Amino acid sequence: MPAWVTGEGGKPFRPYVALWVAVRADTVHMGQVLRPEERNLTAAVHALLAFAFESEFGGYRPGCVEVADGALAEHLNGLLGETGIRVRRVEQLDAPARVLREMGDFESVGKPYVPSALEGKNVSLADVRGFAEAAAVFYRAAPWRHLTDVDLIRVESPQTPVEMRFAVVLGAAHTVYGLAFYRSIAQYAEFRRQGVASGSAGLWQFSLNRLHEIPLSDADLWEEQALPVAAEDAYPLAIWFRPPRELKRPDARQLRFLEAVLR
């Protein structure tokens, strides 16, 4: 599900749910919400049966069920083989994906849209992996032990994107860990005075976070692609922001520059 569950004292987790969609009727049935270690094929079967017997939105036996998971398809074939219900495995399930997107849209009502790491112009998975590796190197080096946000760094090499010519290390105050970037000394001075990213330029920031603090799309990417991460509180996020609600992610050139600086 496109949400995090954060219990007191426990590690945040993404809940799972068995989700069935009647394509022609455009109705949905969800089973019980489960922890990751509780997900199983039986939960999917129970949800399917409950949908079939549910009087308001279900109430009928399907002629065909489609699933994307091979193990689930085999399991259902064994159970439904004598019922006349066909079980078909498909590569992609558009209807459940749409429902999950709508659930995500509902969760994000009132919040600015945060693009994923792969939505940056010309950004490839290899670019993100290189960035992830560099972020782990940066975390282990822990430069905030030696520098604070009053130590302004001018980056001369490699060739610098104009909006990232200057940087400071974040983390000495033990709140946000990472780097903040500025296009000029004047912009840095203005930020020091006002404490906000005012003006038309906006600011780039690289930060290290817990998994549930980065966008869901990034969290999924890190887990599905097994991208490197140095610690539970070291998932990297690079983002440009301009109040009140403008956000964007680095393009390929900016991401490679960040990788070089972090290394």
Side-chain angles (χ1 to χ4, degrees):
M1 295 181 69
W4 289 99
V5 173
T6 53
E8 285 189 15
K11 182 179 178 181
F13 65 91
R14 293 279 295 280
Y16 282 78
V17 66
L19 170 69
W20 292 95
V21 181
V23 178
R24 291 181 181 175
D26 197 29
T27 54
V28 178
H29 183 85
M30 291 193 298
Q32 183 180 358
V33 175
L34 305 171
R35 299 179 69 92
E37 65 272 15
E38 296 172 334
R39 54 184 171 154
N40 58 76
L41 301 181
T42 301
V45 175
H46 286 172
L48 177 62
L49 290 173
F51 199 6
F53 285 100
E54 204 274 332
S55 59
E56 186 174 358
F57 299 112
Y60 63 90
R61 184 178 70 174
C64 175
V65 295
E66 294 181 337
V67 297
D69 182 76
L72 179 57
E74 184 178 352
H75 187 63
L76 287 172
N77 264 318
L79 293 173
L80 304 177
E82 297 181 2
T83 66
I85 300 172
R86 291 182 296 121
V87 178
R88 184 164 61 191
R89 184 185 178 189
V90 297
E91 289 298 319
Q92 185 173 333
L93 290 168
D94 293 332
R98 173 180 56 79
V99 172
L100 287 171
R101 282 196 304 271
E102 290 172 354
M103 289 171 62
D105 292 343
F106 179 78
E107 288 283 335
S108 61
V109 168
K111 303 175 185 176
Y113 171 70
V114 183
S116 74
L118 286 173
E119 287 184 70
K121 185 177 180 180
N122 297 325
V123 170
S124 68
L125 181 58
D127 292 327
V128 178
R129 186 173 294 278
F131 166 69
E133 292 169 354
V137 170
F138 180 87
Y139 176 87
R140 295 188 185 103
W144 48 83
R145 295 176 299 167
H146 313 290
L147 299 169
T148 75
D149 61 358
V150 300
D151 298 307
L152 187 62
I153 301 162
R154 185 174 71 179
V155 184
E156 295 179 340
S157 179
Q159 188 174 357
T160 311
V162 64
E163 65 276 15
M164 296 179 175
R165 286 175 177 165
F166 297 86
V168 294
V169 173
L170 306 174
H174 305 293
T175 51
V176 178
Y177 294 84
L179 294 167
F181 291 91
Y182 305 90
R183 63 175 48 236
S184 65
I185 294 175
Q187 189 189 31
Y188 167 73
E190 180 187 21
F191 186 83
R192 293 290 301 176
R193 284 196 306 270
Q194 300 190 19
V196 295
S198 61
S200 60
L203 291 176
W204 282 100
Q205 181 174 288
F206 160 79
S207 60
L208 296 160
N209 312 270
R210 295 190 176 276
L211 184 62
H212 68 280
E213 295 170 337
I214 65 175
L216 285 173
S217 55
D218 284 18
D220 288 342
L221 182 65
W222 251 255
E223 297 206 317
E224 290 168 4
Q225 299 297 329
L227 296 176
V229 61
E232 287 187 358
D233 58 351
Y235 286 87
L237 174 65
I239 198 161
W240 174 90
F241 60 94
R242 179 168 58 191
R245 299 171 64 87
E246 289 186 71
L247 301 169
K248 67 180 178 181
R249 304 300 292 273
D251 61 24
R253 176 173 174 262
Q254 292 163 334
L255 198 61
R256 291 167 194 160
F257 170 80
L258 279 172
E259 177 185 346
V261 171
L262 293 171
R263 289 187 186 279

